[in-house]
Amino acid sequence: PGVEGGLREPRRLGLGAVGDGDVDGAGAGQVRDAEAAIAEGLRTARWPARLQRLDDTPLARALPDGSELWLDGAHNPPAGRALAEAFRHHSLARRELHLVLGMLETKDAGTFIKAFQGRVTRIHAVPVPDHRCHPPELLAGLARAASTSAARA
């Protein structure tokens, strides 16, 4: 309750075990059944914290009317680029995007942040409790260096 979406989890394909010989000897009907099972699995699998919309949560309810709250665990430059690109083409593309960001110190925060250049309205930098993380002040500075408004949240 209170959450929807998330990219589909690829490991939940709805297929039983198939041996190498089973595919070679399978009839056309069995192949169609397997393809249908794969398609159904991709449509119904869940992958929490990957483009997951949070609706009926205390934080979502505290946001201004018309706002949406999304959660994603992206933490490396390729994931940052994919996430930024998703929000460039999503129905939210014309709306403000505020990014709440905390990152472990082992992650390339500067390259991650650059992916959002020109798309994010403001980065709200936060610490990651109980972990060695980039200080929020550093994250905010990296965002400002990438011409993005930022502050420690």
Side-chain angles (χ1 to χ4, degrees), residues 5-106:
L7 288 182
R8 303 304 188 203
E9 184 176 5
R11 65 183 168 87
R12 289 185 52 204
L13 298 177
L15 290 176
V18 176
D20 291 339
D22 294 336
V23 174
D24 293 337
Q30 291 171 313
V31 171
R32 279 193 300 278
D33 290 345
E35 289 172 349
I38 290 169
E40 176 65 16
L42 291 173
R43 275 192 302 277
T44 60
R46 300 279 180 218
W47 194 349
R50 285 292 182 202
L51 286 176
Q52 182 178 4
R53 186 171 165 187
L54 307 176
D55 285 325
D56 192 25
T57 64
L59 182 56
R61 287 190 296 272
L63 295 174
D65 287 342
S67 297
E68 293 181 10
L69 179 62
W70 292 79
L71 172 66
D72 193 277
H75 60 272
N76 58 44
R81 287 189 294 275
L83 182 59
E85 194 64 19
F87 279 103
R88 281 187 176 89
H89 297 288
H90 185 274
S91 62
L92 301 173
R94 294 184 199 0
R95 296 170 59 187
E96 288 188 358
L97 176 63
H98 291 258
L99 182 65
V100 179
L101 178 66
M103 293 191 87
L104 300 181
E105 67 181 23
T106 58

